[in-house]
Amino acid sequence: MTHSGDITHTITTRGQLAALALLLAAVAVLAKWHEGPLFWVGALLGLAGLGGYFTHFDSPRGAPQWLLAAVGFCMVAMFTIQLLIGVFS
């Protein structure tokens, strides 16, 4: 049997950080603008971040990833609230 080498495991992946960054950008945009084209840009950013969150945090491994998943969950909740405020106002 051959040895293929050790794989280094990082705490986070680029996809996880990108999903959190998209959610943060969406919350920032939606907190300021509740109508117009910038609102829809924020909504699209948030939907992309939401998809990335569900894709990359499906099975977090270790305490650091669980912590990032919890932060992401709070960001998803903030995005949802901001989106609903914008839609219903």
Side-chain angles (χ1 to χ4, degrees):
M1 197 169 219
T2 61
H3 187 282
S4 60
D6 293 330
I7 299 172
T8 59
H9 294 285
T10 59
I11 292 175
T12 61
T13 63
R14 283 183 276 176
Q16 289 172 334
L17 295 177
L20 293 178
L22 284 170
L23 282 169
L24 183 64
V27 169
V29 169
L30 292 177
K32 182 146 176 83
W33 290 283
H34 295 290
E35 59 187 25
L38 288 177
F39 170 79
W40 295 108
V41 168
L44 289 175
L45 283 172
L47 288 176
L50 189 64
Y53 176 79
F54 286 129
T55 302
H56 291 286
F57 286 103
D58 60 343
S59 58
R61 294 174 301 277
Q65 285 192 359
W66 277 105
L67 182 64
L68 280 176
V71 168
F73 182 78
C74 293
M75 293 169 95
V76 167
M78 289 184 347
F79 165 70
T80 304
I81 291 169
Q82 290 292 335
L83 185 68
L84 290 175
I85 288 172
V87 167
F88 292 119
S89 65

